[in-house]
Amino acid sequence: MTGRKTVRAAWPLLAVAAAAVLSGCGIRATEVPTDFGPAPSRAACQLAGGEVAEPEAGEFTAPVALVCGGRLVDVDRVLPLRERHAGDPVRMARALLEEASRTPSEDEERAGFTTDVRKGLTVTDPGEGDPREALRLGTLPENLSVFALAQVVCTFSGSPAAASDGSVVLGGPDDAPLRRYSCTDEVRNRPGTAPTPAQTVAP
């Protein structure tokens, strides 16, 4: 019995020692097993200085949300300057949507960037009775993958295609219900598991 008591009494000391070893190695001890997959490389999701798009005369850069390392990361894409000066939110939304659906460049692919927005996705003007900031997609927003919807919302949110508060009003074709979406930090960091916040817009 004495031997059993000695072993039992030693468990707290062993646990403390194990935690100390883990913290010394830069590993945070947890009480439950976790599986977050392989740690991303520090070089991932970053474009080297010479690979970043540089606008020329008559052009400007606009951020487009791409998927990298399981989160959304903005990448600058070059657009014609006329799109910025057109003063048309739908026109800007079309240009951004085209960029979001474009296959990443070789440099972007090497850095780990992908896109879930499929080519052929369209956006049109608000319908009759819609708020002026509304954008009508060629398909119901809820039919998009969770990554694609998050990409579209976060790409539009920082552009003239968004409402004054940064939210994005999206709907499907015809008279499909409209919803106001928000690009939050949680959506950017966990687009695959954090639902894009949405509120139904009253007709």
Side-chain angles (χ1 to χ4, degrees):
M1 291 296 294
T2 302
R4 289 184 181 181
K5 289 182 179 179
T6 302
V7 171
R8 188 174 302 170
W11 272 112
L13 296 176
L14 291 174
V16 172
V21 171
L22 289 174
S23 61
C25 297
I27 301 174
R28 187 176 180 180
T30 59
E31 295 181 359
V32 295
T34 57
D35 182 13
F36 295 109
S41 167
R42 291 188 178 185
C45 307
Q46 293 182 357
L47 295 173
E51 299 170 348
V52 177
E54 291 292 339
E56 299 180 354
E59 298 177 332
F60 76 103
T61 58
V64 173
L66 299 181
V67 181
C68 189
R71 66 186 192 275
L72 298 185
V73 181
D74 285 342
V75 173
D76 282 341
R77 290 285 178 81
V78 176
L79 298 175
L81 194 59
R82 63 177 180 272
E83 302 294 355
R84 172 185 281 179
H85 291 164
D88 184 349
V90 177
R91 183 169 169 174
M92 175 62 76
R94 286 176 182 149
L96 292 173
L97 192 59
E98 182 177 353
E99 288 298 320
S101 65
R102 182 162 63 84
T103 301
S105 66
E106 291 183 2
D107 293 334
E108 291 168 346
E109 285 186 344
R110 278 197 295 269
F113 290 98
T114 62
T115 183
D116 224 40
V117 180
R118 299 298 174 231
K119 289 184 179 297
L121 182 60
T122 60
V123 59
T124 58
D125 295 317
E128 184 177 354
D130 288 348
R132 65 178 182 177
E133 68 267 28
L135 299 169
R136 290 280 180 183
L137 299 178
T139 187
L140 294 174
E142 53 266 35
N143 286 345
L144 300 176
S145 72
V146 291
F147 281 100
L149 178 58
Q151 281 186 258
V152 171
V153 170
C154 289
T155 296
F156 288 172
S157 68
S159 78
S164 58
D165 61 356
S167 63
V168 181
V169 179
L170 296 177
D174 304 322
D175 58 350
L178 294 169
R179 290 182 174 84
R180 187 179 298 275
Y181 295 87
S182 300
C183 176
T184 63
D185 290 341
E186 188 177 23
V187 170
R188 282 189 172 276
N189 291 324
R190 299 191 297 114
T193 57
T196 305
Q199 295 179 331
T200 300
V201 176

